[in-house]
Amino acid sequence: MVTLLLDSTRLEVALSVTERALSFRKAPVRVERADIRKVQLVDDPWSWLRGVPNPGTVVPRTVAMGLWRSANGDDFVLVRRRRPSVVIDLDGDEEFARLIITTRHGLALVQALRLEGEDEPIDVVELATSEIPVIEREPRPERATRTPRVGATKPAQA
């Protein structure tokens, strides 16, 4: 499982030995926090893949890891099966245009990115599960029940 570390200046995706081997990458993926433009939680990461793996490993609907090259830029991909994932669009990063990462901590990452960062890298889960200010939403107004229109019933068949 991928480990996400976040500090005040950057997000680091620490890779396990297996992830490094399958993605053909020796170093962790480091992205400046200022370069993160948008973060989305997705249920099906396979629909977000674009381009071809080069270098990378892909077993359809099972695993996709490595660098995906496309006309829109290079994406770093760490996808496992059909599990919830996070898509991070980048703007201004020298190496990648997008990160697609399968993690069960996607919501924690989104919450942690909204907080002011620490000077030392902290695991995203630890940062997000600490005291988080909760914004209360106003309750939605209840929907009015629909009444059938007069004459809207079908005529009886003869």
Side-chain angles (χ1 to χ4, degrees):
M1 181 56 74
V2 67
T3 302
L4 302 171
L5 302 171
L6 185 67
D7 65 14
S8 63
T9 59
R10 69 177 163 191
L11 169 67
E12 181 176 318
V13 181
L15 306 173
S16 69
V17 174
T18 305
E19 291 165 342
R20 281 184 279 171
L22 292 175
S23 65
F24 296 95
R25 187 169 179 89
K26 295 179 183 177
V29 175
R30 293 184 179 99
V31 175
E32 294 299 317
R33 198 169 176 166
D35 293 341
I36 297 174
R37 184 175 42 131
K38 183 170 52 170
V39 180
Q40 300 175 68
L41 301 174
V42 296
D43 288 332
D44 183 18
W46 294 94
S47 63
W48 290 84
L49 296 181
R50 58 186 183 184
V52 294
N54 185 14
T57 303
V58 62
V59 177
R61 301 291 178 193
T62 304
V63 68
M65 293 188 186
L67 182 67
W68 255 243
R69 295 190 186 273
S70 72
N72 297 326
D74 296 341
D75 298 345
F76 183 77
V77 176
L78 273 174
V79 173
R80 288 190 179 99
R81 302 200 187 273
R82 295 182 70 109
R83 295 185 179 158
S85 300
V86 61
V87 177
I88 303 170
D89 288 316
L90 305 171
D91 189 25
D93 188 69
E94 297 173 3
E95 196 172 5
F96 303 114
R98 179 189 284 174
L99 305 177
I100 305 171
I101 302 169
T102 297
T103 179
R104 64 181 127 203
H105 306 298
L107 183 58
L109 174 63
V110 172
Q111 291 174 338
L113 284 170
R114 290 182 180 171
L115 301 174
E116 292 298 321
E118 301 290 327
D119 291 335
E120 293 294 318
I122 298 177
D123 190 359
V124 167
V125 177
E126 188 178 314
L127 182 63
T129 55
S130 61
E131 290 294 319
I132 300 174
V134 177
I135 300 171
E136 297 279 334
R137 290 187 182 179
E138 293 182 22
R140 288 185 177 180
E142 291 188 29
R143 293 178 122 185
T145 57
R146 295 182 72 188
T147 56
R149 295 187 318 202
V150 177
T153 59
K154 292 183 178 181
Q157 297 290 330

